C-alpha cells in the first residue's frame, strides 16, 4: 500500500531529523550572524573553522565558495544543472504524491489539520509500539554499526569515529518521547513552516533548480531540521559551540587536524586532512570528491553489452538492486 497520507509524510519528516544529525555534527561558530566568506583559509585551523561556521548558520552557498578554490567552485556551479546519466525518471505516482503532500503541508491552517490527523495515530502507535521502540532502535544501531564496519570507503579511523557517533545517538533515540503529543504538535508546526518557506509545488522544481536556488532551499531545510531536533532534546548548536580544532601536523603543503566536540554530553573527535593551494588551505577529501564527481559527470556512458548475461538463480541480491539516484 502506498504511503501517501499526510501522517506518513510527517512521520518521514521526523525520521529524517534523526538521520540528518550525522550531517551536522562537525560545525561551530562563536559569533552570531553569518560570517564573512573568504576563499580557503590562512591556516588549516582557520579553514575548518570557517567551513563549520558557515554551515552552522545554513549558508551553504558561502560554504562551497569558501571550501573550494575559485576554479573548482565555478566548475561545481556549472555542473549543478548538467543532466545526471543515472537519474531515474519521475513516475506519475511519485509526482502525484509529492504534489499532494506539499499541498497539504502548505494549505491554510495546515498545522491544525495535520495535527488532527497525527494525534490519534500517535496515540495508537504509542499503545502498540512504545515498549518496542528501544528494541527497534537497538536493531537499527546494530545494522548501522555493521554497515560502517563493512564499508570499503571508510578508513579504520573513520569507522571507529562513525561507530562512536552511532553509539551516542542510539541511546538518546531510545529514550526520546517520540509519541509525546506536545512535542509532535511543535514538530508539525516546524514542518509546515519549513514547507511554506521552501515553496516547492512540483518535483520538477527540484530537478530544475540552479545552484543558488538549491543552496537557499538547503538552508531552509537545514534550519528547520535543527529546530525540530531541539524539540526532542538534541541541540546541534551546542555541538557546534563545543568544537575545538587542533593542528596535529603541517608540512610541505599538507596538514592534519583533529576536531574535538561534544555530542549529547559525550566527548568525541574526528580528523581531517587539508592541502594548500595558491597559499590557501582546503579540505583534501572535499576537493578530491568534487573533482572526481566532475570527471564522472563528463565521462562518456559505458557501452552497452552486445549480448545479455545469462540468467543465474544464484546471483547475489545486491547485483539485482538498482543503484540509488545521484543527488545534486
Amino acid at each position: 500500500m502506498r504511503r501517501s497520507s499526510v501522517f506518513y509524510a510527517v512521520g518521514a519528516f521526523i525520521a529524517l531529523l534523526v538521520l540528518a544529525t550525522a550531517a551536522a555534527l562537525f560545525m561551530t561558530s562563536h559569533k552570531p550572524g553569518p560570517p564573512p566568506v573568504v576563499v580557503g583559509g590562512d591556516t588549516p585551523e582557520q579553514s575548518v573553522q570557517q567551513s563549520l561556521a558557515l554551515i552552522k548558520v545554513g549558508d551553504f552557498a558561502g560554504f562551497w565558495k569558501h571550501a573550494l578554490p575559485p576554479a573548482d567552485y565555478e566548475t561545481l556551479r556549472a555542473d549543478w544543472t548538467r543532466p545526471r546519466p543515472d537519474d531515474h525518471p519521475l513516475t506519475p505516482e511519485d509526482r502525484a504524491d509529492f504534489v499532494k503532500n506539499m499541498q497539504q503541508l502548505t494549505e491554510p491552517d495546515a498545522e491544525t489539520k495535520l495535527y488532527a490527523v497525527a494525534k490519534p495515530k500517535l496515540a495508537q502507535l504509542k499503545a502498540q509500539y512504545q515498549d518496542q521502540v528501544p528494541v527497534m532502535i537497538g536493531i537499527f544501531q546494530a545494522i548501522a554499526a555493521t554497515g560502517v564496519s563493512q564499508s570499503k570507503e571508510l578508513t579504520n579511523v573513520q569507522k571507529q569515529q562513525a561507530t562512536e557517533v552511532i553509539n551516542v545517538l542510539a541511546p538518546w533515540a531510545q529514550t526520546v518521547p517520540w509519541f509525546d503529543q506536545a512535542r509532535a504538535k511543535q514538530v508539525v508546526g516546524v514542518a509546515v513552516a519549513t514547507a511554506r518557506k521552501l515553496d516547492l509545488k512540483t518535483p520538477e522544481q527540484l530537478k530544475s533548480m540552479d545552484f543558488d536556488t538549491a543552496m537557499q532551499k538547503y538552508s531552509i531545510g537545514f534550519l528547520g531540521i535543527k529546530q525540530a531536533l531541539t524539540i526532542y532534546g538534541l541541540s546541534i548548536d551546542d555541538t557546534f559551540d563545543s568544537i575545538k580544532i587542533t593542528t596535529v601536523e603541517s608540512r610541505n603543503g599538507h596538514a592534519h587536524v583533529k576536531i574535538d566536540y561534544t555530542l549529547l554530553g559525550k566527548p568525541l573527535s574526528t580528523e581531517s586532512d587539508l592541502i594548500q593551494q595558491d597559499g590557501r588551505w582546503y579540505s583534501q577529501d572535499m576537493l578530491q570528491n568534487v573533482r572526481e564527481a566532475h570527471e564522472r559527470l563528463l565521462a562518456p556512458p559505458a557501452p552497452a553489452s552486445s549480448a545479455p548475461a545469462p540468467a543465474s538463480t544464484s546471483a547475489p541480491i545486491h547485483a539485482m538492486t538498482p543503484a540509488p539516484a545521484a543527488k545534486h
Side-chain angles (χ1 to χ4, degrees):
M1 181 173 64
R2 289 169 47 225
R3 298 183 176 183
S4 59
S5 69
V6 175
F7 170 72
Y8 284 110
V10 174
F13 177 82
I14 295 173
L16 175 63
L17 302 181
V18 180
L19 298 177
T21 307
L25 294 178
F26 311 126
M27 313 165 189
T28 186
S29 174
H30 301 290
K31 297 181 181 179
V37 177
V38 296
V39 178
D42 290 328
T43 67
E45 290 180 9
Q46 288 182 3
S47 178
V48 176
Q49 287 171 344
Q50 177 79 353
S51 292
L52 303 178
L54 288 164
I55 298 178
K56 179 187 177 181
V57 297
D59 186 358
F60 293 107
F63 165 78
W64 285 113
K65 187 174 183 178
H66 160 75
L68 298 174
D72 293 278
Y73 174 68
E74 292 304 325
T75 297
L76 176 68
R77 289 174 58 87
D79 284 348
W80 199 260
T81 54
R82 291 181 185 273
R84 263 57 181 176
D86 53 354
D87 269 353
H88 295 292
L90 192 68
T91 67
E93 286 189 347
D94 289 338
R95 188 183 190 283
D97 281 347
F98 184 96
V99 171
K100 178 181 178 181
N101 288 328
M102 291 307 297
Q103 287 176 344
Q104 291 174 326
L105 280 166
T106 58
E107 66 180 339
D109 205 21
E111 301 93 329
T112 302
K113 295 176 182 178
L114 286 173
Y115 182 64
V117 174
K119 186 175 181 179
K121 294 290 187 180
L122 284 170
Q124 179 184 355
L125 290 171
K126 181 177 181 180
Q128 292 180 338
Y129 299 112
Q130 184 172 20
D131 294 338
Q132 300 179 34
V133 167
V135 176
M136 295 169 63
I137 292 175
I139 293 173
F140 291 140
Q141 178 183 4
I143 293 173
T146 300
V148 168
S149 66
Q150 295 179 352
S151 172
K152 296 181 180 179
E153 304 296 328
L154 300 177
T155 66
N156 289 333
V157 172
Q158 290 171 333
K159 289 179 181 180
Q160 178 183 350
Q161 294 165 351
T163 301
E164 290 173 350
V165 171
I166 293 171
N167 291 339
V168 172
L169 288 177
W172 164 76
Q174 288 175 324
T175 60
V176 169
W178 297 112
F179 306 118
D180 180 77
Q181 297 281 353
R183 288 181 175 86
K185 187 174 184 179
Q186 292 180 65
V187 170
V188 169
V190 172
V192 169
T194 301
R196 286 172 176 161
K197 291 177 183 177
L198 287 171
D199 192 26
L200 295 172
K201 296 179 175 59
T202 67
E204 288 81 5
Q205 287 179 265
L206 288 173
K207 290 181 174 290
S208 62
M209 284 190 298
D210 60 21
F211 177 84
D212 293 327
T213 303
M215 295 303 105
Q216 292 173 1
K217 302 299 185 184
Y218 287 0
S219 176
I220 293 169
F222 175 73
L223 295 177
I225 286 171
K226 283 209 304 178
Q227 185 179 356
L229 284 172
T230 302
I231 294 171
Y232 287 104
L234 177 54
S235 172
I236 299 302
D237 282 347
D238 285 351
T239 299
F240 296 162
D241 295 335
S242 72
I243 293 178
K244 299 184 184 300
I245 304 166
T246 306
T247 299
V248 178
E249 183 180 12
S250 180
R251 60 179 179 179
N252 300 326
H254 292 267
H256 186 76
V257 301
K258 182 183 179 185
I259 305 170
D260 294 299
Y261 64 99
T262 301
L263 176 63
L264 294 167
K266 304 294 184 180
L268 298 172
S269 66
T270 186
E271 299 174 357
S272 179
D273 291 315
L274 290 94
I275 188 171
Q276 192 176 35
Q277 184 169 312
D278 296 329
R280 310 298 293 171
W281 289 93
Y282 304 93
S283 165
Q284 181 173 312
D285 287 341
M286 186 171 299
L287 189 55
Q288 179 179 338
N289 290 340
V290 168
R291 289 174 176 175
E292 289 179 350
H294 174 67
E295 293 175 0
R296 288 194 300 269
L297 191 61
L298 298 185
S305 175
S306 57
S312 172
T313 57
S314 61
I317 294 177
H318 66 78
M320 298 183 286
T321 306
K327 296 182 180 180
H328 288 301

